[in-house]
Amino acid sequence: MRRRRFVASGATVGALTLAGCLGSSPTPPPRRSEVFEAVGADGTSLQMNLAGQPVVESRADVDAAEGSGSFGSVVAALAALNPVGTAAAAKGGGGGRGATGRGSGEHGSAPKNHNGHAKYHGGDYDDWREEHEDEVETYQAEVALLAIGFIGTDPQMEDSPPEPGPIDWDETWQDPQPDQDITYEPPRTGWYRTGAKLEAKGANHSFGWECLDFRVNDANETVEVDNVWKVSPRL
């Protein structure tokens, strides 16, 4: 059995065994992560807030220093970040199970994470995780690049919402910090994606992108954000 490890520096949290969420479907679940604290609006600007200590699941065998800490506290923390839930599949989702219809009003019934963000392809993956727990590890990560871009109107999002991953970004920020004031003035209303490109902390490995999709509306000469979706690649 492979040991669970965090990519860590100093005396941070160490190895861990995960059991979590999917029926007998061979399709793996979206990976769990803690990357974005929130996305919102202040006047005419959008605000993106990063987590203080990003973590991400991966099936990659990353060669990294082993940390130390309490396994139980880490498992409990990840379970709290992504509580189990179920939702029926909706139009425009690229296959698989769970909540997919970002432009269809499905946000209200979709499974949510601890920030209240609906989970794209969220659902019950308990069986898959039990069968593959030895393959999944959780790593500390760093955000190498933060980005944002327009992805469409409500009808476009209902018909063909983008799958997880990067898009043609409108603006990017290199090596953003959790306490950095990251703002963006959207040129129009509609749906946007903000993405974080993740690198392993203390190792030479990229975990790809974690993203949030959300809708920007006009409200009395200001902007408002609603229907935030956490869009993660599958394990």
Side-chain angles (χ1 to χ4, degrees), residues 7-175:
V7 176
S9 61
T12 48
V13 194
L16 122 94
T17 301
L18 288 172
C21 309
L22 176 128
S24 57
S25 168
T27 305
R31 68 186 181 189
R32 294 169 172 170
S33 66
E34 172 72 349
V35 177
F36 288 97
E37 189 65 32
V39 60
D42 181 12
T44 59
S45 297
L46 302 178
Q47 292 183 321
M48 287 78 73
N49 302 113
L50 297 172
Q53 296 181 328
V55 293
V56 62
E57 285 183 325
S58 178
R59 294 168 77 180
D61 189 9
V62 179
D63 185 12
E66 188 172 337
S68 60
S70 168
F71 298 171
S73 63
V74 177
V75 174
L78 277 179
L81 297 181
N82 294 276
V84 174
T86 58
K91 180 181 179 181
R97 63 188 300 158
T100 60
R102 278 160 285 168
S104 67
E106 190 187 344
H107 184 277
S109 60
K112 307 294 195 300
N113 69 359
H114 77 300
N115 287 321
H117 303 157
K119 295 189 290 183
Y120 180 65
H121 282 308
D124 179 6
Y125 293 89
D126 283 338
D127 289 351
W128 189 97
R129 286 186 172 275
E130 289 175 2
E131 293 168 6
H132 297 270
E133 63 178 351
D134 292 341
E135 303 171 20
V136 180
E137 302 191 15
T138 303
Y139 298 95
Q140 288 189 353
E142 296 177 327
V143 178
L145 187 70
L146 181 69
I148 193 169
F150 181 77
I151 51 177
T153 62
D154 271 335
Q156 289 171 328
M157 288 294 286
E158 286 190 39
D159 290 338
S160 56
E163 288 297 296
I167 60 171
D168 291 331
W169 303 114
D170 296 329
E171 189 165 340
T172 60
W173 297 263
Q174 292 279 350
D175 299 318

Side-chain angles (χ1 to χ4, degrees), residues 197-211:
K197 187 177 182 181
L198 301 179
E199 305 290 337
K201 187 173 183 179
N204 183 21
H205 180 82
S206 175
F207 295 115
W209 291 82
E210 280 289 334
C211 299

